[in-house]
Amino acid sequence: MTHSGLTNLVLIGFMGAGKSTIARICARRLGMTLCDTDQILENKYQMSITQLFSELGEQEFRRQECNLIQELSTGSRQVIATGGGVVLNPVNVAALRATGLVVLLNVDLDTIVERVRHQTHRPLLAGATDLRAHVEEMLKKRTPIYREAAHCTVEVRGLSPVESAASVVNLFKTISGEGK
Ligand code: S3P
C-alpha cells in the first residue's frame, strides 16, 4: 500500500538513536532537504540546546519546538530529524503525521547508554547520578509514545548509520510511492 500524500520523511526516537546522522544520509540519498529541529533552533537563537534549556527553560524550548514543527509540516520533500522529546506533544505528532512518513529509530538501552555516556550536550541527561537507571526510566515511559506516533519502525541495534539509512530509504520509497 502506498501513501502518496506523505511527502516528508520524519525520524523520531530516543536520544542517541542516530536521528541526525541517519537523516543526513537519507536526505542525500533521496535528494530531499534536511531539516534538523535541534539544529534549526540552535541556529535561530545562536545557542546550544543546553543553553536554550537554561536560558529559556524547557517549557519555552518545547513551545519553540512546537512552532517549528507546525511550520516544517507545511513543507514538502524534507527529511526531518526531530529532537527526542517532540513526540511528547500530540499536536506535534498530528502535524508530522499529516504530511510525513514517521519512522521510529528504535534503539535498546545498552546502545543508548553506551552512546550518550561521554556526551555532554543533552540537558535531560546531564547530572544524572545513575545514568543507566535514568535512561531506563525515560525509555520505559517514552517507548509506547514513540510506537504510537510512528507509522513504522527500524531497529537500529547493530546497524551502522549507512545500513539504518538504507532501511529507512527503502521504507520511504515503498510506502510513499516515491520512485515508483
Ligand atoms: C530531548 C532530546 C534532544 C533535544 C533536547 C530534548 C528529549 O534531542 O531536543 O535535549 O527530550 O529527548 P536528541 O534526541 O537529538 O538528542
Side-chain angles (χ1 to χ4, degrees):
M1 192 172 70
T2 62
H3 295 274
S4 46
L6 301 180
T7 117
N8 295 319
L9 169 60
V10 181
L11 301 187
I12 64 169
F14 201 82
M15 293 173 269
K19 301 179 292 290
S20 298
T21 308
I22 295 168
R24 199 177 328 117
I25 302 169
C26 291
R28 210 182 313 129
R29 293 252 173 107
L30 290 162
M32 288 163 61
T33 308
L34 173 65
C35 302
D36 185 315
T37 61
D38 282 349
Q39 189 78 62
I40 293 171
L41 291 174
E42 287 185 329
N43 291 345
K44 178 175 173 188
Y45 288 94
Q46 290 294 295
M47 281 187 222
S48 67
I49 294 294
T50 300
Q51 285 173 314
L52 283 169
F53 267 64
S54 62
E55 300 283 324
L56 304 182
E58 181 173 353
Q59 208 181 347
E60 180 58 19
F61 171 79
R62 296 298 181 199
R63 223 174 56 79
Q64 294 300 327
E65 184 176 63
C66 182
N67 290 344
L68 176 60
I69 295 291
Q70 303 311 307
E71 194 183 316
L72 292 177
S73 299
T74 64
S76 61
R77 295 200 54 76
Q78 306 162 106
V79 179
I80 304 174
T82 60
V86 151
V87 295
L88 301 177
N89 185 345
V91 171
N92 292 340
V93 175
L96 290 168
R97 284 179 63 99
T99 54
L101 178 74
V102 179
V103 179
L104 167 61
L105 300 180
N106 196 48
V107 69
D108 60 287
L109 177 64
D110 288 340
T111 305
I112 295 169
V113 174
E114 190 52 43
R115 288 183 184 172
V116 302
R117 191 175 287 286
H118 302 295
Q119 298 176 342
T120 54
H121 64 279
R122 293 190 173 94
L124 295 181
L125 302 181
T129 41
D130 183 341
L131 180 66
R132 189 185 171 82
H134 182 58
V135 169
E136 188 171 22
E137 197 190 325
M138 284 184 79
L139 193 59
K140 209 166 148 188
K141 277 196 198 132
R142 287 186 177 188
T143 296
I145 306 174
Y146 289 128
R147 295 253 181 228
E148 178 85 18
H151 289 109
C152 48
T153 301
V154 169
E155 298 292 337
V156 299
R157 181 179 199 160
L159 296 186
S160 69
V162 168
E163 289 166 334
S164 304
S167 296
V168 175
V169 164
N170 280 339
L171 272 172
F172 182 70
K173 285 185 172 170
T174 307
I175 298 175
S176 71
E178 166 101 1
K180 290 236 177 303

